[in-house]
């Protein structure tokens, strides 16, 4: 989790707006797919002695996402709703890919994810 958090934060240095949301979503998606066991931790699917540390990193990532989304929202409730939508997209795609649900589709999972991410970012940023 340390590496995941650091990787995303490093990629976001000097970046803002839609580009930052795109980088956040793409990096989180890629890193979670690359480490399925860590992804299970992110989903809370494993109980282990370092769970508290993992939860702290997840909270850091959630706070970072909320900071990226906040400028596009009118209030705290709207920001939380938009952040949850964003996370649901990323985690949903990761989970479906790990379950193999996209493997026989004529549309590659990565192409579908990129289109969905672009759509969600467009929704978030156009509401402002």
């Amino acid at each position: 989790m340390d590496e995941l958090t650091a990787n995303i934060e490093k990629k976001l240095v000097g970046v803002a707006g839609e580009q930052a949301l795109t980088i956040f979503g793409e990096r989180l998606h890629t890193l979670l797919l690359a480490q399925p066991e860590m992804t299970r931790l992110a989903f809370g699917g494993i109980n282990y002695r370092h769970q508290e540390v993992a939860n702290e990193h997840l909270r850091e990532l959630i706070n970072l996402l909320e900071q990226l989304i906040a400028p596009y929202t009118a209030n705290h409730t709207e920001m939380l709703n938009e952040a949850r939508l964003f996370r649901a997209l990323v985690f949903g795609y990761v989970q479906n890919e790990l379950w193999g649900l996209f493997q026989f589709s004529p549309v590659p999972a990565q192409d579908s994810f990129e289109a969905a991410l672009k759509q969600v970012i467009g929704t978030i940023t156009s509401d402002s």
Side-chain angles (χ1 to χ4, degrees):
M1 292 298 289
D2 288 336
E3 288 180 35
L4 184 140
T5 305
N7 183 298
I8 292 173
E9 288 174 344
K10 181 179 177 184
K11 294 286 184 185
L12 290 174
V13 172
V15 182
E18 290 181 34
Q19 184 182 12
L21 287 168
T22 300
I23 290 169
F24 184 97
E26 288 175 347
R27 292 306 307 153
L28 184 58
H29 176 255
T30 299
L31 293 167
L32 289 174
L33 281 176
Q35 299 181 44
E37 287 303 312
M38 184 182 60
T39 300
R40 288 181 55 205
L41 292 175
F43 291 130
I46 296 176
N47 244 341
Y48 74 116
R49 62 187 176 125
H50 299 294
Q51 186 74 37
E52 207 170 301
V53 174
N55 287 339
E56 287 175 32
H57 284 286
L58 281 174
R59 189 68 223 153
E60 284 179 44
L61 288 172
I62 290 169
N63 287 338
L64 178 57
L65 176 60
E66 290 174 354
Q67 289 172 19
L68 295 174
I69 290 174
Y72 300 104
T73 59
N75 57 56
H76 187 70
T77 299
E78 186 179 322
M79 183 274 300
L80 287 176
N81 289 337
E82 299 287 9
R84 289 173 181 168
L85 171 65
F86 192 98
R87 288 194 321 269
L89 169 77
V90 176
F91 287 131
Y93 263 84
V94 168
Q95 190 66 41
N96 281 287
E97 287 179 73
L98 291 176
W99 285 346
L101 297 178
F102 299 142
Q103 66 184 2
F104 300 115
S105 173
V107 178
Q110 184 65 33
D111 293 353
S112 184
F113 173 74
E114 289 172 4
L117 181 63
K118 184 175 181 178
Q119 184 176 4
V120 165
I121 291 170
T123 298
I124 290 168
T125 59
S126 70
D127 289 344
S128 59

